[in-house]
Amino acid sequence: LVRKRLDTDSTLFTQPALATWTGQEITYVLDITARLRQKDDPERLAELVRSNFEHLVLGDRATAQSLIGDADCGQAGIEWLRSWLANFPAFKDDPLQKKSSLFLQRLFLQDYFGSKRVGQFIPFAVDRHIVRLMLRLGWVVVDPGSALAGKVRGRKTMNFDEDLMLRSSVLEALEHISVISEVPPPVLNFAMWQFSRSYCARYQPGCISEQRILGRGSEFTPSSGRCLFGDVCTALHRDSQLDIYDPVHRGGF
């Protein structure tokens, strides 16, 4: 739909125009109206668009474009891009930069970077689905006597420090896995995210349910037999899958 709007009204997508978008443009481009969920509200989305494109400085944009297309863009180039993205209003509130990391991953997976070698330098995006998978596998363990353990079992709301501590631990585990497996972060992140949101679902994980996701992501969902992680999953061995969820974080990012 966005591509269709771009083809028919390209002037709406210039930087000066994007810096002045209102809820009316969001409604037109995305074909949505006012929603009950805050993240779908056209006025809130328009505010994010405006703040980001007001922030986009021409010189920095040119540098970013040159780095993304440069076959020699190495660790220093990725670090520059990470630092640049971290200052965008839509990303800056998250200390682990999940969304900006995801943006870099998508550029890599869709071959926008001039070289596959940069994959090793692109950061992980720690998503709630991956947090749940790591907790069920037992690769990240929450102290059973802590308040956070109760929030994991009951899918209760964490505070900021708990969220940061949990996601930081998951990030550390992912980095170890990437080094040991020699799978670059964008590829590993994508595979684990697809598997965790499809097979290791929150309330109906495939190991105890017949639910299967169709379409995109189905390649990571076994059609029959044991879970791909079955031999190393602590929750499966203890029959505690539904005692472990991803706790809730109420954050602007």
Side-chain angles (χ1 to χ4, degrees):
L1 181 59
V2 174
R3 171 61 62 183
K4 180 179 179 181
R5 302 298 193 215
L6 179 62
D7 290 340
T8 57
D9 193 0
S10 60
T11 59
L12 191 60
F13 294 87
T14 62
Q15 183 178 343
L18 285 160
T20 62
W21 268 26
T22 66
Q24 182 176 354
E25 281 77 23
I26 289 288
T27 300
Y28 167 70
V29 170
L30 301 181
D31 193 26
I32 62 174
T33 54
R35 307 282 181 89
L36 294 178
R37 295 194 303 174
Q38 184 187 25
K39 69 177 184 178
D40 294 327
D41 180 67
E43 294 298 335
R44 180 174 180 273
L45 292 173
E47 182 182 356
L48 283 173
V49 172
R50 287 196 304 272
S51 62
N52 280 299
F53 281 91
E54 288 169 355
H55 174 82
L56 193 58
V57 178
L58 188 60
D60 285 348
R61 184 180 67 182
T63 301
Q65 288 173 330
S66 66
L67 286 171
I68 291 169
D70 186 359
D72 295 322
C73 175
Q75 186 172 4
I78 296 299
E79 288 298 326
W80 187 93
L81 288 168
R82 291 180 65 180
S83 177
W84 177 61
L85 289 169
N87 290 316
F88 276 69
F91 304 142
K92 67 179 182 179
D93 289 341
D94 181 4
L96 295 187
Q97 293 291 297
K98 181 187 79 172
K99 288 291 178 68
S100 57
S101 299
L102 180 62
F103 177 67
L104 291 174
Q105 288 184 26
R106 298 312 304 170
L107 290 177
F108 176 82
L109 292 172
Q110 294 177 22
D111 295 324
Y112 280 92
F113 284 103
S115 170
K116 289 292 186 183
R117 292 182 291 106
V118 301
Q120 62 185 307
F121 306 122
I122 293 177
F124 281 99
V126 182
D127 177 85
R128 56 185 177 165
H129 298 293
I130 294 177
V131 168
R132 180 178 65 255
L133 177 63
M134 299 292 268
L135 290 173
R136 283 178 173 168
L137 290 172
W139 296 356
V140 171
V141 179
V142 175
D143 180 354
S146 66
L148 182 56
K151 295 175 181 180
V152 169
R153 289 191 299 271
R155 190 158 160 72
K156 303 298 183 181
T157 303
M158 297 178 289
N159 60 41
F160 181 87
D161 290 337
E162 289 170 329
D163 174 71
L164 180 58
M165 178 173 58
L166 181 56
R167 290 198 299 139
S168 296
S169 298
V170 171
L171 175 61
E172 184 179 355
L174 288 171
E175 289 171 344
H176 282 304
I177 295 167
S178 181
V179 171
I180 293 168
S181 66
E182 299 183 349
V183 177
V187 177
L188 180 62
N189 210 146
F190 180 75
M192 294 189 73
W193 178 74
Q194 288 285 18
F195 184 85
S196 57
R197 68 188 287 270
S198 58
Y199 188 88
C200 197
R202 182 177 295 128
Y203 299 116
Q204 292 183 296
C207 53
I208 57 176
S209 169
E210 293 302 316
Q211 175 174 302
R212 296 288 187 273
I213 191 170
L214 301 176
R216 188 153 192 175
S218 60
E219 64 268 31
F220 298 108
T221 306
S223 58
S224 62
R226 289 172 59 85
C227 169
L228 296 175
F229 289 99
D231 291 339
V232 294
C233 180
T234 300
L236 181 62
H237 291 166
R238 295 177 179 176
D239 196 26
S240 61
Q241 297 94 318
L242 297 185
D243 292 331
I244 301 174
Y245 299 105
D246 45 302
V248 180
H249 173 66
R250 302 294 185 192
F253 55 81

